[in-house]
Amino acid sequence: MPTIAAQISQQLAEDIISGVLPPGEKLEEPALAQRFQVSRTPVREALRLLDARGLIELVPRRGGVVINTSPEQLVDMLEALCELESLCCRIATQRMSAMQRRQLELLHEEAESVADKRDADAYLELNSRFHQLICQGTQNATLVAAVESLRERLAPFRAAQSGVERRFEVSHREHQKIVEAILAGQPEQAYLAMRSHTTRLTLNVMELIQAQRAGKAS
Protein backbone atom coordinates (compact mmCIF):
# COMPACT_ATOMS: atom_id res chain seq x y z
CA MET A 1 0.00 0.00 0.00
CA PRO A 2 1.22 3.57 -0.69
CA THR A 3 2.61 5.41 2.32
CA ILE A 4 0.74 8.39 3.73
CA ALA A 5 3.39 10.67 2.23
CA ALA A 6 2.95 9.04 -1.19
CA GLN A 7 -0.83 9.43 -0.99
CA ILE A 8 -0.51 13.11 -0.09
CA SER A 9 2.05 13.61 -2.85
CA GLN A 10 -0.24 12.02 -5.44
CA GLN A 11 -3.25 14.10 -4.39
CA LEU A 12 -1.22 17.30 -4.52
CA ALA A 13 0.22 16.25 -7.89
CA GLU A 14 -3.29 15.78 -9.27
CA ASP A 15 -4.26 19.21 -7.94
CA ILE A 16 -1.23 20.75 -9.64
CA ILE A 17 -1.90 18.99 -12.96
CA SER A 18 -5.56 19.99 -13.04
CA GLY A 19 -4.78 23.58 -12.08
CA VAL A 20 -6.47 23.48 -8.67
CA LEU A 21 -3.05 24.47 -7.34
CA PRO A 22 -1.81 27.01 -9.92
CA PRO A 23 1.81 28.01 -10.60
CA GLY A 24 3.16 30.19 -7.80
CA GLU A 25 0.79 28.69 -5.21
CA LYS A 26 2.45 28.27 -1.82
CA LEU A 27 2.23 24.86 -0.16
CA GLU A 28 2.74 25.51 3.53
CA GLU A 29 3.34 22.61 5.90
CA PRO A 30 0.88 23.68 8.67
CA ALA A 31 -2.00 24.17 6.22
CA LEU A 32 -1.30 20.87 4.47
CA ALA A 33 -1.02 19.00 7.76
CA GLN A 34 -4.43 20.37 8.72
CA ARG A 35 -5.94 19.55 5.32
CA PHE A 36 -4.82 15.93 5.40
CA GLN A 37 -5.17 15.53 9.18
CA VAL A 38 -1.59 14.35 9.65
CA SER A 39 1.58 15.54 11.31
CA ARG A 40 4.11 17.64 9.44
CA THR A 41 6.45 14.67 8.91
CA PRO A 42 4.53 12.95 6.06
CA VAL A 43 3.73 16.38 4.61
CA ARG A 44 7.42 17.22 4.52
CA GLU A 45 8.18 13.91 2.80
CA ALA A 46 5.35 14.45 0.30
CA LEU A 47 6.79 17.84 -0.59
CA ARG A 48 10.21 16.25 -1.14
CA LEU A 49 8.58 13.76 -3.54
CA LEU A 50 6.94 16.59 -5.46
CA ASP A 51 10.24 18.46 -5.59
CA ALA A 52 11.98 15.37 -6.98
CA ARG A 53 9.36 15.20 -9.73
CA GLY A 54 9.96 18.83 -10.61
CA LEU A 55 6.42 19.94 -9.70
CA ILE A 56 7.38 22.28 -6.86
CA GLU A 57 10.37 24.18 -5.55
CA LEU A 58 11.10 23.60 -1.87
CA VAL A 59 11.38 26.59 0.43
CA PRO A 60 13.55 25.80 3.52
CA ARG A 61 11.52 25.48 6.73
CA ARG A 62 8.36 26.75 5.03
CA GLY A 63 7.05 24.34 2.41
CA GLY A 64 7.08 24.66 -1.36
CA VAL A 65 5.90 26.67 -4.34
CA VAL A 66 4.20 25.18 -7.40
CA ILE A 67 6.48 25.39 -10.46
CA ASN A 68 5.12 26.57 -13.76
CA THR A 69 5.78 23.63 -16.11
CA SER A 70 5.12 25.07 -19.53
CA PRO A 71 3.48 23.04 -22.30
CA GLU A 72 6.79 23.29 -24.17
CA GLN A 73 8.72 21.72 -21.28
CA LEU A 74 6.13 18.97 -20.93
CA VAL A 75 6.28 18.21 -24.65
CA ASP A 76 10.08 18.03 -24.45
CA MET A 77 9.99 15.48 -21.65
CA LEU A 78 7.24 13.36 -23.20
CA GLU A 79 9.04 13.38 -26.55
CA ALA A 80 12.29 12.31 -24.90
CA LEU A 81 10.57 9.46 -23.07
CA CYS A 82 8.83 8.35 -26.26
CA GLU A 83 12.13 8.15 -28.14
CA LEU A 84 14.01 6.48 -25.28
CA GLU A 85 11.37 3.77 -24.84
CA SER A 86 11.38 3.12 -28.58
CA LEU A 87 15.18 2.86 -28.57
CA CYS A 88 14.97 0.46 -25.62
CA CYS A 89 12.55 -1.69 -27.59
CA ARG A 90 14.96 -1.88 -30.52
CA ILE A 91 17.93 -2.83 -28.32
CA ALA A 92 15.91 -5.23 -26.17
CA THR A 93 14.91 -7.12 -29.31
CA GLN A 94 18.57 -7.93 -29.82
CA ARG A 95 19.54 -8.52 -26.19
CA MET A 96 16.62 -9.92 -24.19
CA SER A 97 17.31 -13.28 -22.62
CA ALA A 98 15.12 -16.27 -23.36
CA MET A 99 13.64 -15.96 -19.88
CA GLN A 100 12.79 -12.29 -20.37
CA ARG A 101 11.14 -13.04 -23.71
CA ARG A 102 9.01 -15.70 -22.06
CA GLN A 103 8.14 -13.29 -19.24
CA LEU A 104 7.04 -10.75 -21.84
CA GLU A 105 4.80 -13.34 -23.49
CA LEU A 106 3.23 -14.29 -20.17
CA LEU A 107 2.67 -10.65 -19.19
CA HIS A 108 0.96 -10.01 -22.50
CA GLU A 109 -1.27 -13.07 -22.11
CA GLU A 110 -2.17 -12.06 -18.57
CA ALA A 111 -3.00 -8.55 -19.76
CA GLU A 112 -5.38 -9.99 -22.36
CA SER A 113 -7.24 -11.89 -19.64
CA VAL A 114 -7.41 -8.78 -17.46
CA ALA A 115 -8.61 -6.65 -20.38
CA ASP A 116 -11.43 -9.12 -21.04
CA LYS A 117 -12.52 -8.65 -17.43
CA ARG A 118 -12.35 -4.84 -17.76
CA ASP A 119 -10.14 -4.65 -14.67
CA ALA A 120 -8.58 -1.20 -15.15
CA ASP A 121 -6.30 -1.17 -12.11
CA ALA A 122 -4.86 -4.60 -12.86
CA TYR A 123 -4.35 -3.69 -16.51
CA LEU A 124 -2.48 -0.49 -15.65
CA GLU A 125 -0.19 -2.44 -13.32
CA LEU A 126 0.58 -5.03 -16.02
CA ASN A 127 1.12 -2.25 -18.53
CA SER A 128 3.76 -0.70 -16.28
CA ARG A 129 5.50 -4.05 -15.84
CA PHE A 130 5.38 -4.63 -19.61
CA HIS A 131 7.26 -1.41 -20.37
CA GLN A 132 9.66 -1.93 -17.48
CA LEU A 133 10.58 -5.43 -18.65
CA ILE A 134 11.38 -4.18 -22.14
CA CYS A 135 13.66 -1.46 -20.74
CA GLN A 136 15.44 -4.01 -18.56
CA GLY A 137 15.84 -6.20 -21.63
CA THR A 138 18.34 -3.71 -23.05
CA GLN A 139 20.87 -4.92 -20.46
CA ASN A 140 21.96 -1.27 -20.33
CA ALA A 141 21.85 0.24 -16.85
CA THR A 142 22.34 3.80 -18.13
CA LEU A 143 19.34 3.57 -20.45
CA VAL A 144 17.20 1.98 -17.75
CA ALA A 145 18.12 4.75 -15.30
CA ALA A 146 17.37 7.47 -17.85
CA VAL A 147 13.94 6.03 -18.65
CA GLU A 148 13.08 5.48 -14.98
CA SER A 149 14.11 9.04 -14.14
CA LEU A 150 11.90 10.49 -16.87
CA ARG A 151 8.99 8.22 -15.97
CA GLU A 152 9.26 9.35 -12.36
CA ARG A 153 9.38 13.00 -13.41
CA LEU A 154 6.35 12.53 -15.64
CA ALA A 155 4.41 10.22 -13.34
CA PRO A 156 1.85 12.84 -12.23
CA PHE A 157 1.21 13.94 -15.80
CA ARG A 158 1.06 10.40 -17.16
CA ALA A 159 -1.58 9.67 -14.53
CA ALA A 160 -3.88 11.32 -17.05
CA GLN A 161 -3.27 8.26 -19.23
CA SER A 162 -5.54 6.16 -17.05
CA GLY A 163 -8.49 7.07 -19.23
CA VAL A 164 -6.49 6.40 -22.36
CA GLU A 165 -5.24 3.02 -21.17
CA ARG A 166 -8.78 1.94 -20.43
CA ARG A 167 -9.17 1.65 -24.18
CA PHE A 168 -8.08 -1.91 -23.63
CA GLU A 169 -8.48 -3.15 -27.18
CA VAL A 170 -6.35 -0.40 -28.74
CA SER A 171 -3.57 -0.70 -26.20
CA HIS A 172 -3.54 -4.49 -26.34
CA ARG A 173 -3.35 -4.54 -30.14
CA GLU A 174 -0.39 -2.19 -30.01
CA HIS A 175 1.32 -4.36 -27.40
CA GLN A 176 0.68 -7.39 -29.61
CA LYS A 177 2.66 -5.81 -32.46
CA ILE A 178 5.52 -4.99 -30.07
CA VAL A 179 5.63 -8.54 -28.69
CA GLU A 180 5.50 -10.10 -32.15
CA ALA A 181 8.40 -7.96 -33.38
CA ILE A 182 10.54 -8.70 -30.33
CA LEU A 183 9.93 -12.45 -30.45
CA ALA A 184 10.63 -12.48 -34.19
CA GLY A 185 13.94 -10.71 -33.64
CA GLN A 186 12.96 -7.67 -35.74
CA PRO A 187 14.52 -4.61 -34.03
CA GLU A 188 13.32 -1.96 -36.51
CA GLN A 189 9.75 -3.24 -36.49
CA ALA A 190 9.89 -3.34 -32.69
CA TYR A 191 11.15 0.25 -32.60
CA LEU A 192 8.38 1.46 -34.90
CA ALA A 193 5.68 -0.47 -33.03
CA MET A 194 6.75 1.01 -29.69
CA ARG A 195 7.09 4.49 -31.14
CA SER A 196 3.58 4.33 -32.58
CA HIS A 197 2.26 3.15 -29.21
CA THR A 198 4.02 5.78 -27.07
CA THR A 199 3.30 8.58 -29.54
CA ARG A 200 -0.44 7.91 -29.33
CA LEU A 201 -0.32 7.96 -25.55
CA THR A 202 1.80 11.12 -25.52
CA LEU A 203 -0.63 12.98 -27.77
CA ASN A 204 -3.60 11.86 -25.69
CA VAL A 205 -1.91 12.87 -22.43
CA MET A 206 -1.26 16.35 -23.84
CA GLU A 207 -4.86 16.66 -25.04
CA LEU A 208 -6.22 15.60 -21.65
CA ILE A 209 -3.99 17.99 -19.72
CA GLN A 210 -4.81 20.89 -22.04
CA ALA A 211 -8.52 20.12 -21.70
CA GLN A 212 -8.19 20.04 -17.90
CA ARG A 213 -6.44 23.40 -17.85
CA ALA A 214 -8.91 24.93 -20.29
CA GLY A 215 -11.80 23.73 -18.16
CA LYS A 216 -10.20 25.17 -15.05
CA ALA A 217 -9.62 28.51 -16.77
CA SER A 218 -13.26 28.71 -17.88
Side-chain angles (χ1 to χ4, degrees):
M1 293 291 292
T3 65
I4 294 175
Q7 292 175 22
I8 294 173
S9 173
Q10 184 57 37
Q11 180 59 60
L12 292 174
E14 290 173 3
D15 290 347
I16 292 170
I17 294 166
S18 65
V20 171
L21 294 174
E25 182 80 7
K26 294 180 180 178
L27 302 179
E28 298 177 339
E29 289 182 13
L32 292 174
Q34 183 175 5
R35 171 185 170 181
F36 293 103
Q37 295 296 295
V38 296
S39 69
R40 290 196 188 186
T41 299
V43 168
R44 198 170 295 121
E45 176 60 25
L47 293 177
R48 280 197 289 266
L49 291 172
L50 292 173
D51 178 64
R53 289 177 169 182
L55 291 177
I56 70 168
E57 181 179 355
L58 286 177
V59 180
R61 296 181 297 279
R62 293 181 58 186
V65 177
V66 177
I67 289 176
N68 183 14
T69 302
S70 69
E72 292 76 17
Q73 290 173 312
L74 189 55
V75 167
D76 281 352
M77 288 189 290
L78 285 167
E79 182 181 50
L81 183 59
C82 176
E83 289 296 336
L84 281 174
E85 286 204 89
S86 301
L87 175 62
C88 284
C89 200
R90 173 194 282 151
I91 297 174
T93 302
Q94 300 167 309
R95 298 183 181 176
M96 282 184 104
S97 68
M99 181 176 292
Q100 286 175 321
R101 290 171 188 271
R102 182 54 181 158
Q103 286 177 321
L104 190 67
E105 274 190 294
L106 292 174
L107 268 178
H108 186 58
E109 290 171 5
E110 187 177 354
E112 182 174 20
S113 174
V114 166
D116 289 341
K117 296 175 183 176
R118 315 300 296 174
D119 188 336
D121 291 337
Y123 187 84
L124 289 170
E125 170 63 22
L126 290 170
N127 177 72
S128 178
R129 289 168 56 192
F130 180 88
H131 285 268
Q132 185 179 47
L133 180 58
I134 290 174
C135 286
Q136 292 170 344
T138 64
Q139 317 299 341
N140 186 308
T142 301
L143 265 179
V144 172
V147 171
E148 288 181 351
S149 176
L150 263 178
R151 289 183 73 89
E152 173 64 20
R153 180 79 183 275
L154 287 165
F157 297 98
R158 287 166 64 91
Q161 280 185 202
S162 58
V164 177
E165 284 298 347
R166 286 187 174 88
R167 299 173 188 173
F168 299 109
E169 295 81 5
V170 176
S171 181
H172 196 70
R173 282 199 303 270
E174 291 171 347
H175 280 194
Q176 179 67 34
K177 291 181 180 179
I178 293 169
V179 172
E180 288 176 352
I182 290 176
L183 296 182
Q186 300 172 323
E188 286 307 310
Q189 286 86 338
Y191 171 88
L192 293 173
M194 178 63 83
R195 196 173 190 282
S196 176
H197 176 58
T198 54
T199 296
R200 176 183 67 82
L201 295 177
T202 293
L203 291 174
N204 279 312
V205 169
M206 288 302 302
E207 289 173 1
L208 286 170
I209 291 171
Q210 288 169 355
Q212 284 180 332
R213 290 179 173 174
K216 179 62 180 178
S218 64

